[in-house]
Amino acid sequence: MKILFSPSETKFRGGENKKIDKKDFIFPELFDKRIEAINEYQRFIDNASNEQLAKLFGTKKQDVIDYYKGKLLDKKIMKVVERYDGVAFDYLKYKELKDKEKEYIDKNVMIFSNLFGPVNAGDFGLPDYKLKQGEKVGELALEKFYNENFTKKIDEYLKGEEIIDLRAGFYEKFYKLNLPYLTMKFIKDKKVVSHWAKAYRGIILNLMAKNNIQSIDELMNMEVENLLISEIKKQKHKTEIIYEIK
């Protein structure tokens, strides 16, 4: 069982005073490619105007812009899943999980970082960086860069696994699945919801860890409070569960 998950733009600060190392990340053989993207990000920051940084970071707050300037690789690092501070991660409640449940997340969840690309939740080495979703770093479109350089390795990694795709649609640009997988849509009053979709992705991932879900059949039989399966759609490799929020 492997679960694909989105990152969040907001992150917790702090961490440990350690340097990142290729052993800290999945696909160490492609670590040089990650560094290539990070170096391009650093070069852009070092030479960008304040207006360009505001666009890159997605904020006009000067104190935030000033905080995220400087040398990225000199910043403190943290376990990937503990770095993120968005809606889905609030509802995942990782820190409240038992050790065995955390291990489930660490090993089975792949998060698509806007800067570092595909990383496992349990990888250790993510600094606190700022990058607005979809923003180019100079001329570099990171979603295209990671799609071109990491797709083959991700395909190999996922082969033979049951796959749950809990990513927002944008992150399909980093990696498009060409293997059988299950995804979810959340509707309320016949409308697709955005905020609650993020929340329920976190809730479902939390329950999968607590119930040690190892197959799609087990997931389909897992009860989620306030959710009712209204439809299941199948198209080529994709099976989509449509949940109605009560």
Side-chain angles (χ1 to χ4, degrees), residues 16-20 24 73-77 124:
E16 296 186 24
N17 283 311
K18 292 174 65 177
K19 296 293 184 183
I20 68 170
D24 296 330
L73 294 181
D74 289 341
K75 291 181 178 288
K76 294 178 179 179
I77 59 176
F124 192 93

Side-chain angles (χ1 to χ4, degrees), residues 88-114:
F89 293 90
D90 289 343
Y91 283 86
L92 170 58
K93 299 180 179 178
Y94 178 83
K95 290 185 178 180
E96 297 179 18
L97 296 175
K98 297 174 182 176
D99 287 347
K100 197 167 185 179
E101 295 162 354
K102 287 181 179 178
E103 185 179 355
Y104 178 95
I105 300 293
D106 291 351
K107 290 184 175 181
N108 296 320
V109 177
M110 176 176 283
I111 298 172
F112 288 75
S113 160
N114 283 314

Side-chain angles (χ1 to χ4, degrees), residues 189-203:
D189 301 324
K190 298 183 179 180
K191 293 180 180 179
V192 177
V193 292
S194 176
H195 174 86
W196 282 110
K198 294 177 183 178
Y200 275 110
R201 288 180 189 125
I203 289 168

